[in-house]
Amino acid sequence: MSHVPNSTEEIVKNYLAARSMVTSLKAFDQECSSAKDANYQVDRCIDEMTEAIDKHDVDTLCAMWESWNARVFHSLDAEGIKQAQGYEASAYRLFLVRCVQKKNITKCNEFFRKMSSLTLNNPQWTDWFAFPYNHHAKDTEPFRKYFDKTWIEIYYVSLHNFLSTSLATVSPSVIGTIVEGIARDPLGSDHVDFDEELIDDFAMLSTSQTWPLQTISADVAEISDKLKEVFSLNRLNVQPVFAY
């Protein structure tokens, strides 16, 4: 029985190999490898953040968020930036909770001094200035949820997904890069193999009954539609703009 590809990644790899598109195949392999590495990097970032919280390392924690904001979150839309700010605030509050649990009030005060630009004159932080001295904070709003283990677990899972998604938005895929390259230079040597037959092949794959996963068909159909749009625009000598 012939092997049936079970992922969009495998379909694209098989197609590029069959068409002897060595350069594009190599680039796509590197992209797939980078995606797996990116997931590992996200895991490591989350681990480093939790370690900074557990060790009461306010400098490392704040530096991490400063780096994420500058390198990743700054390119998000307004809603994404607002979500990032929410995750950041929760990370700092988990830090304060950990310090209080270990009776390290000095580190709480150090945090408020270091992050005064965020916390001073900010209604969302007003209650938190008294938090280190509230002996019943665990049972008091708005602090209660930050002591709840289930909420904390959900927070880290959600943060991991958000960071992974945010990284993807600032790292365009190789397929997207190839399509954009065709738009800029349809006769370039790197893209000479992308012709009308390729578009038809992708369209055929997207409607074929031999592929078991609907998500595969949807992904391939999207690629086909983008390529059709590129070639159509190139015939009109119009420079397209794609958002990835």
Side-chain angles (χ1 to χ4, degrees):
M1 180 181 294
S2 60
H3 172 67
V4 177
N6 57 12
S7 70
T8 306
E9 176 183 326
E10 190 173 356
I11 291 174
V12 175
K13 284 184 177 181
N14 288 347
Y15 186 87
L16 295 178
R19 305 280 289 198
S20 300
M21 301 170 68
V22 179
T23 301
S24 296
L25 177 59
K26 182 178 180 181
F28 187 71
D29 276 331
Q30 290 175 341
E31 174 70 18
C32 293
S33 177
S34 296
K36 295 181 178 67
D37 184 60
N39 190 60
Y40 165 76
Q41 294 296 336
V42 172
D43 289 339
R44 192 177 70 172
C45 286
I46 299 296
D47 288 343
E48 290 178 354
M49 191 185 88
T50 56
E51 183 179 3
I53 290 174
D54 289 338
K55 291 185 176 181
H56 311 157
D57 188 348
V58 63
D59 291 327
T60 296
L61 181 62
C62 293
M64 287 186 67
W65 276 97
E66 182 178 351
S67 178
W68 289 353
N69 286 330
R71 299 182 181 183
V72 181
F73 301 141
H74 77 285
S75 62
L76 301 178
D77 58 21
E79 182 61 28
I81 291 175
K82 183 178 179 180
Q83 287 182 301
Q85 292 171 342
Y87 284 113
E88 181 178 8
S90 292
Y92 294 149
R93 289 165 182 171
L94 288 173
F95 171 85
L96 292 172
V97 167
R98 192 60 175 165
C99 290
V100 166
Q101 288 175 327
K102 296 298 182 179
K103 304 185 185 305
N104 194 341
I105 306 303
T106 300
K107 283 294 182 180
C108 290
N109 294 331
E110 181 181 342
F111 166 80
F112 284 115
R113 286 195 300 271
K114 185 176 183 66
M115 298 300 294
S116 59
S117 61
L118 170 67
T119 59
L120 286 179
N121 301 316
N122 186 340
Q124 296 181 348
W125 281 92
T126 301
D127 294 334
W128 286 87
F129 286 100
F131 167 73
Y133 309 100
N134 186 339
H135 299 298
H136 304 286
K138 185 176 181 179
D139 302 312
T140 307
E141 296 295 347
F143 317 118
R144 182 181 302 169
K145 70 179 181 180
Y146 297 97
F147 289 87
D148 185 271
K149 291 183 178 179
T150 300
W151 184 89
I152 294 173
E153 290 176 358
I154 293 173
Y155 166 78
Y156 281 120
V157 171
S158 182
L159 175 60
H160 186 288
N161 293 339
F162 180 75
L163 184 54
S164 298
T165 303
S166 299
L167 284 170
T169 65
V170 296
S171 302
S173 68
V174 165
I175 289 296
T177 302
I178 291 173
V179 173
E180 187 176 6
I182 298 171
R184 288 196 304 266
D185 182 15
L187 300 180
S189 59
D190 222 16
H191 311 296
V192 68
D193 289 326
F194 279 85
D195 52 21
E196 298 275 2
E197 291 183 15
L198 179 145
I199 299 173
D200 293 337
D201 288 346
F202 272 121
M204 180 184 67
L205 285 173
S206 69
T207 58
S208 173
Q209 298 300 314
T210 60
W211 309 118
L213 301 179
Q214 292 182 351
T215 53
I216 294 177
S217 294
D219 289 342
V220 175
E222 181 179 358
I223 294 170
S224 175
D225 289 342
K226 285 184 178 180
L227 287 170
K228 287 179 180 178
E229 180 180 356
V230 168
F231 277 95
S232 176
L233 289 169
N234 277 323
R235 292 192 187 98
L236 298 174
N237 196 27
V238 176
Q239 179 66 39
V241 177
F242 295 102
Y244 300 102

